[in-house]
Amino acid sequence: MNASISSLRRLFNVVRLMAALLIGLALAALVQGAVEGPRWLLITGIPATALVLTVLGDVAEPMRTSTVMTGLRSGGPRAFAPAVVNGVRTVDRKAGRPVLDGRSVNSVFAFDLTVMPEDRPAYRIQVCHPLDVQGLTHRSRAVVEYDPEQPWRVVVPDDPPRAWLARAAGAPAPTVVKDRAAGLPAGFWTLVTGVVCAAVLLTLMRLLG
């Protein structure tokens, strides 16, 4: 298990490094073409920059309440927390639109939850699951598992510890709820690394002349 997790982390780091290099090359070509030329660098840099930023935006996981979360990181930190069930609906797995047939293979349950961690303000988020885990269609409280470093990563476990179930059942609703979970969006550091790479490339081109 540990070997598999290490391999996944190495693969993820390689992919992130390649993405940062592509961003750096595209930005460097754009800036160089706009400032000193040649013109083909500018013509190439504009669509290349737009493409890598679009891909980065699609891959990045937004932290809005209406967004379906993708789950916990492999090998990342985890913690339990009680949550208030604000509502449950059945939505299309891909489009996210409400559907009538909850038994369809293309539908999932969308749980509108207010997560109440111990060490941060409560925040509202939507989590999807193909099954009605913990019977949340008939409950007002739930137990969730989340990433303390990236709190927008939230899942609803099928069989949480009994102590946490009892704790969630008696948890009062929070008086203050944040609209967004705290933390930087996924892809932020990849973009920053790409900008740094672009600055280094531009500096080298000026020095080498």
Side-chain angles (χ1 to χ4, degrees):
M1 179 65 71
N2 292 334
S4 300
I5 292 174
S6 299
S7 299
L8 289 173
R9 285 180 174 175
R10 285 196 295 269
L11 177 61
F12 176 75
N13 289 333
V14 170
V15 172
R16 185 165 58 181
L17 179 60
M18 292 178 60
L21 290 175
L22 289 175
I23 293 171
L25 288 172
L27 291 176
L30 177 62
V31 174
Q32 180 68 17
V35 175
E36 297 182 357
R39 183 63 59 87
W40 67 268
L41 278 178
L42 178 61
I43 296 175
T44 304
I46 291 177
T49 302
L51 177 62
V52 295
L53 292 179
T54 299
V55 172
L56 187 65
D58 289 340
V59 172
E61 296 156 339
M63 296 178 291
R64 296 186 297 273
T65 300
S66 60
T67 301
V68 178
M69 298 296 101
T70 57
L72 302 174
R73 295 179 292 170
S74 177
R78 304 184 181 188
F80 289 105
V84 176
V85 182
N86 302 304
V88 181
R89 58 179 182 164
T90 308
V91 300
D92 182 81
R93 183 187 299 271
K94 295 182 179 179
R97 294 189 298 268
V99 296
L100 296 178
D101 186 7
R103 294 174 296 180
S104 171
V105 295
N106 295 320
S107 65
V108 294
F109 290 95
F111 305 111
D112 181 1
L113 305 173
T114 299
V115 182
M116 300 180 290
E118 293 181 341
D119 56 347
R120 65 177 68 243
Y123 57 92
R124 193 166 178 175
I125 203 166
Q126 180 174 291
V127 181
C128 285
H129 198 282
L131 302 175
D132 180 18
V133 285
Q134 299 182 31
L136 298 188
T137 54
H138 305 289
R139 292 188 178 183
S140 61
R141 295 293 186 272
V143 175
V144 301
E145 195 171 7
Y146 72 102
D147 187 332
E149 296 179 356
Q150 298 181 3
W152 62 90
R153 291 182 176 272
V154 179
V155 298
V156 182
D158 184 29
D159 188 21
R162 293 181 179 273
W164 277 101
L165 286 172
R167 185 171 181 176
T175 56
V176 178
V177 178
K178 297 184 66 175
D179 291 333
R180 296 164 69 98
L184 295 173
F188 175 80
W189 291 114
T190 303
L191 178 60
V192 171
T193 306
V195 173
V196 172
C197 289
V200 171
L201 289 173
L202 290 170
T203 302
L204 289 176
M205 282 189 287
R206 283 184 176 274
L207 293 176
L208 299 176

